Amino acid sequence: MKPVRVDELKVRITYHGWSVQESDEALVPVPFPDDSPSGGFLTAYQGRFDLYSAGHTHTAAVTVEQWDSEPAADTRTPWDESDEAEFVSGSGEIAIWSDGRDHELSLLPGTWKVRVYCAGREEVERICNDDGVADGVEIYLLQFWPAT
């Protein structure tokens, strides 16, 4: 089984956070970054989910996969963190947010499950604390599939 779509992105992270959000902001009661927590890996809200990065300001490598059914747990990388959430998209379009709208991706409108993985957290924290440049050190995998 393979994903039906794969997108490779570079996401600029600021203040340890970024978000995946319904693109139509009218469908999101509390848009990013409002009420975004500090700490915790994944926090789900209506119309969005926020991710907490180990690095303050850097660029993360993000792979977004769409599946037509639940994928097996990913074992391609030794992941530091993983979590799941439910995500509802009314428009079928999602936006990646950090210090602004970075990317837009298409899903079908509806309810999705998402599994998020992350690796490179200790290294990106060390580099950012040493005032270094971290480009693609922290990596994320987001797997979306229709909720049943």
Side-chain angles (χ1 to χ4, degrees), residues 27-50:
L27 300 175
V28 183
V30 182
F32 182 79
D34 293 350
D35 291 340
S36 193
S38 65
F41 175 61
L42 182 146
T43 305
Y45 300 88
Q46 183 178 339
R48 81 177 219 232
F49 59 92
D50 295 356

Side-chain angles (χ1 to χ4, degrees), residues 68-101:
D68 54 13
S69 61
E70 181 176 359
D74 188 86
T75 58
R76 294 171 282 186
T77 299
W79 300 106
D80 301 335
E81 297 274 359
S82 67
D83 204 353
E84 290 186 16
E86 192 169 90
F87 178 76
V88 178
S89 176
S91 71
E93 302 292 324
I94 59 174
I96 308 291
W97 283 82
S98 58
D99 61 350
R101 187 183 287 242

Side-chain angles (χ1 to χ4, degrees), residues 50-145:
D50 295 356
L51 294 155
Y52 185 81
S53 169
H56 183 278
T57 304
H58 65 99
T59 303
V62 177
T63 301
V64 180
E65 298 177 345
Q66 288 183 43
W67 295 77
D68 54 13
S69 61
E70 181 176 359
D74 188 86
T75 58
R76 294 171 282 186
T77 299
W79 300 106
D80 301 335
E81 297 274 359
S82 67
D83 204 353
E84 290 186 16
E86 192 169 90
F87 178 76
V88 178
S89 176
S91 71
E93 302 292 324
I94 59 174
I96 308 291
W97 283 82
S98 58
D99 61 350
R101 187 183 287 242
D102 282 351
H103 302 279
E104 299 216 13
L105 302 170
S106 294
L107 295 172
L108 292 174
T111 303
W112 294 81
K113 297 289 279 182
V114 62
R115 186 179 302 133
V116 181
Y117 299 91
C118 184
R121 293 176 71 78
E122 286 183 21
E123 182 68 6
V124 80
E125 181 178 29
R126 184 191 62 73
I127 291 169
C128 289
N129 286 342
D130 291 344
D131 292 326
V133 176
D135 183 14
V137 173
E138 190 175 56
I139 62 171
Y140 290 85
L141 171 63
L142 282 65
Q143 297 178 313
F144 285 90
W145 68 92

